[in-house]
């Protein structure tokens, strides 16, 4: 079970003012439950964990098994919500050096379709040349340029290297039930496919096949991941009192901080495996709340690494920030600092201590230093980096995001702003249908 502690925000905002959100939070929860708020056609994530069936999980596991048996490498092609959730979970749960290990227990998972880097794609296709590889092509709209471009390259290469028949077996599509080019291709080619429900937006889709299939291919237990999310679905339900509901408290606290000039939330971890959880979180909160000229800017740092790069700014820069720390209670492994007779490095004061004890003192010391420097601090504690905890954490952030967006007064479930760059790019590339825009944009160059 995860827990939230907001004590170290109270020098900056008052407990009373946080608890004054209770009625607004209740209204937000009811709007989510009853589907009466903004963006109410995108609430499929709300009770998704508890509605996932054993049959669905079995289908995902069977497909994952086919990929595991037939591939050394599986490329997950997707961008934004169509890859960040899978990557967040896989990196949180994997050995840090998994791709360097000789004896592999699962295919190496690589990612594409989340950038348009020619060198990236060249180097990826070069690497795949002598590999038995498969592809999971993920796109809700089925038309996202970055993903479609990467998939065109990968599909051709897979067919050329492995033949059309095998390619059919090792390419899986996750997309809309009816619309979009990815659906047309999957149906025409006869790929195994999974549907992204209409009412689940990309950034809320980690517990659909979008996240679950790659996670299962990587060898992790999707049943436990979903079970962890179910725990949080209950713990953050609308019948849980405000004081007992961590999502309600988190949503209220961040809105109160924002009202008091804290415009930037920095998600902090002390564990490099959580880097992509932060990336996933940035999209979740950035796309959900950054609209109508409002919204907390979601930033993230990996400590203690970034204490030696961003630490100065956080300690003494503009006081418009607050931190939310994800603290992991228990490590997966034990490692002690050895004694050294000569003690030339002067580290014998640490001898015999677990490395995690040093890390935890860095965490505690940083919290107090940053609070002293004028940075409010919240702390989310998760028991360990395992499937249950990560499932809980993901759902916690999702439900808190829904509530928080409603407190802010925006529609947390659309993202109209992301179309602007796409329109310009298509106009500049002379995409059919963009003739007028092409003329207009050429005149501005
Ligand atoms: O799954 P799709 O449709 O390819 O979209 C990927 C991502 O692109 C966005 O639509 C933004 O363009 C995100 O909201 C989404 O997660």
């Amino acid at each position: 079970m995860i827990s939230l502690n907001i004590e170290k925000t109270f020098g900056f905002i008052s407990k009373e003012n946080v608890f004054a959100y209770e009625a607004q939070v209740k209204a937000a929860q009811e709007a989510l439950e009853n589907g009466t708020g903004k963006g109410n056609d995108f609430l499929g994530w709300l009770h998704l964990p508890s509605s996932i069936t054993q049959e669905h999980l079995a289908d995902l596991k069977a497909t994952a098994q086919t990929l595991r048996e037939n591939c050394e490498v599986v490329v997950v092609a997707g961008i934004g919500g169509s890859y960040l959730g899978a990557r967040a979970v896989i990196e949180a749960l994997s050995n840090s050096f998994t791709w360097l290990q000789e004896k592999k227990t699962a295919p190496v998972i690589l990612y594409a379709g989340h950038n348009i880097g020619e060198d990236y794609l060249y180097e990826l296709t070069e690497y795949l040349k002598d590999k038995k590889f498969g592809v999971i092509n993920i796109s809700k709209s089925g038309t996202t340029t970055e993903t479609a471009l990467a998939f065109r390259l990968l599909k051709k290469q897979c067919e050329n290297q492995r033949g059309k028949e095998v390619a059919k077996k090792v390419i899986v599509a996750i997309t809309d039930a009816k619309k979009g080019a990815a659906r047309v291709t999957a149906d025409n080619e006869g790929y195994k496919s999974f549907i992204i429900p209409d009412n689940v937006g990309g950034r809320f889709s980690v517990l659909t096949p979008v996240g679950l299939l790659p996670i299962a291919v990587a060898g992790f237990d999707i049943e436990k991941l979903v079970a962890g999310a179910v725990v949080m679905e209950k713990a953050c339900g609308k019948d849980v009192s405000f004081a007992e509901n961590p999502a309600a408290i988190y949503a209220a606290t961040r809105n109160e901080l924002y009202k008091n000039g804290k415009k930037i939330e920095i998600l902090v971890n002390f564990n490099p495996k959580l880097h992509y959880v932060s990336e996933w979180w940035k999209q979740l909160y950035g796309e959900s709340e950054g609209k109508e000229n409002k919204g907390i800017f979601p930033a993230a740092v990996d400590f203690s690494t970034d204490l030696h790069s961003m630490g100065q700014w956080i300690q003494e820069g503009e006081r418009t920030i607050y931190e939310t720390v994800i603290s992991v209670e228990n490590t997966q492994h034990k490692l002690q600092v050895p004694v050294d007779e000569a003690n030339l490095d002067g580290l014998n004061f640490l001898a015999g201590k677990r490395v995690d004890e040093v890390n935890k003192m860095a965490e505690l010391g940083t919290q107090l230093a940053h609070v002293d420097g004028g940075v409010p601090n919240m702390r989310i504690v998760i028991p360990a980096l395992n499937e249950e905890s990560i499932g809980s954490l993901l759902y916690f952030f999702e439900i808190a995001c829904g509530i928080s967006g409603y407190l802010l007064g925006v529609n947390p479930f659309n993202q109209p702003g992301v179309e602007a760059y796409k329109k310009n790019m298509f106009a500049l590339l002379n995409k059919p249908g963009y003739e007028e825009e092409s003329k207009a944009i050429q005149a501005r160059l």
Side-chain angles (χ1 to χ4, degrees):
M1 183 70 160
I2 75 172
S3 66
L4 172 73
N5 187 325
I6 61 163
E7 295 282 318
K8 293 280 187 285
T9 65
F10 291 152
F12 307 92
I13 54 172
S14 71
K15 188 171 179 179
E16 200 188 352
N17 283 353
V18 171
F19 276 68
Y21 279 85
E22 186 168 351
Q24 278 182 70
V25 166
K26 187 118 218 105
Q29 287 174 304
E30 266 160 24
L32 288 172
E33 275 307 324
N34 304 331
T36 51
K38 292 179 184 169
N40 55 5
D41 41 352
F42 283 98
L43 295 172
W45 56 273
L46 187 63
H47 292 299
L48 180 64
S50 58
S51 62
I52 294 173
T53 63
Q54 282 305 321
E55 292 71 41
H56 183 54
L57 290 175
D59 189 12
L60 285 162
K61 283 197 257 181
T63 307
Q65 194 52 29
T66 304
L67 290 172
R68 285 166 65 82
E69 279 163 12
N70 292 283
C71 304
E72 298 164 84
V73 178
V74 170
V75 184
V76 175
I79 193 166
S82 288
Y83 94 107
L84 282 170
R87 191 164 193 175
V89 176
I90 292 169
E91 301 218 352
L93 300 178
S94 293
N95 183 297
S96 307
F97 304 98
T98 191
W99 76 96
L100 295 174
Q101 287 171 336
E102 301 225 320
K103 266 205 173 156
K104 296 199 171 55
T105 53
V108 172
I109 309 290
L110 298 178
Y111 302 88
H114 58 296
N115 64 50
I116 324 176
E118 184 160 343
D119 287 340
Y120 184 94
L121 286 168
Y122 178 88
E123 286 160 12
L124 175 66
T125 50
E126 275 295 297
Y127 171 76
L128 293 172
K129 266 188 180 152
D130 56 348
K131 306 288 183 305
K132 286 194 211 154
F133 78 93
V135 187
I136 307 178
N137 185 35
I138 310 178
S139 177
K140 183 168 186 209
S141 62
T143 57
T144 299
T145 312
E146 287 87 341
T147 307
L149 196 158
F151 183 64
R152 176 182 277 220
L153 289 165
L154 294 167
K155 173 179 186 288
K156 264 208 164 44
Q157 186 172 354
C158 189
E159 287 170 353
N160 288 344
Q161 276 175 219
R162 309 196 67 182
K164 254 210 132 16
E165 274 316 298
V166 177
K168 225 187 240 183
K169 205 154 88 178
V170 296
I171 296 178
V172 179
I174 305 178
T175 187
D176 186 85
K178 298 192 195 82
K179 294 187 303 282
R183 168 54 58 199
V184 174
T185 308
D187 290 348
N188 271 13
E189 299 285 1
Y191 299 150
K192 168 76 181 168
S193 70
F194 291 93
I195 292 168
I196 308 174
D198 276 345
N199 60 358
V200 181
R203 59 188 174 275
F204 288 87
S205 69
V206 57
L207 297 171
T208 72
V210 170
L212 296 180
L213 182 64
I215 293 165
V217 173
F220 300 110
D221 190 331
I222 54 176
E223 259 169 73
K224 287 187 179 159
L225 187 83
V226 171
V230 172
V231 168
M232 249 12 224
E233 188 186 324
K234 288 203 184 92
C236 301
K238 84 169 181 19
D239 298 327
V240 179
S241 74
F242 180 81
E244 298 293 322
N245 184 332
I249 301 280
Y250 177 59
T253 308
R254 59 199 303 284
N255 275 274
E256 180 60 11
L257 286 164
Y258 182 57
K259 220 163 86 184
N260 284 273
K262 305 298 179 192
K263 310 262 183 206
I264 300 164
E265 176 171 1
I266 306 180
L267 192 71
V268 177
N269 68 69
F270 281 80
N271 193 319
K273 292 188 186 193
L274 286 172
H275 179 83
Y276 271 92
V277 167
S278 297
E279 295 301 310
W280 170 84
W281 172 89
K282 273 159 53 180
Q283 185 198 0
L284 181 65
Y285 281 81
E287 265 190 0
S288 297
E289 295 194 321
K291 48 199 69 156
E292 299 175 27
N293 298 327
K294 299 195 272 194
I296 295 164
F297 182 82
V301 288
D302 301 322
F303 284 168
S304 67
T305 311
D306 294 336
L307 282 172
H308 297 263
S309 59
M310 294 300 291
Q312 172 62 35
W313 200 102
I314 295 170
Q315 189 70 43
E316 296 182 350
E318 197 182 16
R319 302 298 73 184
T320 46
I321 56 171
Y322 66 95
E323 289 177 313
T324 301
V325 179
I326 303 176
S327 182
V328 183
E329 229 167 359
N330 299 299
T331 59
Q332 304 300 108
H333 308 284
K334 289 193 170 73
L335 185 65
Q336 274 183 342
V337 181
V339 185
D340 188 301
E341 291 279 294
N343 195 27
L344 294 178
D345 54 10
L347 277 189
N348 270 356
F349 73 103
L350 298 179
K353 288 197 198 304
R354 296 264 309 279
V355 172
D356 194 51
E357 199 180 331
V358 182
N359 200 26
K360 290 289 191 304
M361 291 310 115
E363 188 180 318
L364 192 56
T366 304
Q367 184 193 50
L368 297 175
H370 288 180
V371 169
D372 289 345
V375 182
N377 189 292
M378 282 192 262
R379 213 163 155 255
I380 297 165
V381 181
I382 65 172
L385 291 185
N386 57 32
E387 284 91 339
E388 287 93 341
S389 292
I390 298 294
S392 287
L393 185 67
L394 297 178
Y395 186 83
F396 161 77
F397 278 135
E398 286 183 356
I399 181 71
C401 183
I403 298 170
S404 184
Y406 279 170
L407 293 182
L408 185 67
V410 298
N411 175 354
F413 307 115
N414 66 2
Q415 57 285 330
V418 292
E419 297 310 314
Y421 100 90
K422 294 183 191 170
K423 204 175 97 201
N424 285 350
M425 180 174 76
F426 293 149
L428 289 164
L429 289 166
N430 298 313
K431 183 173 175 171
Y434 285 77
E435 291 75 12
E436 283 306 307
E437 288 88 347
S438 290
K439 257 189 246 152
I441 206 162
Q442 287 302 336
R444 287 176 60 196
L445 298 178

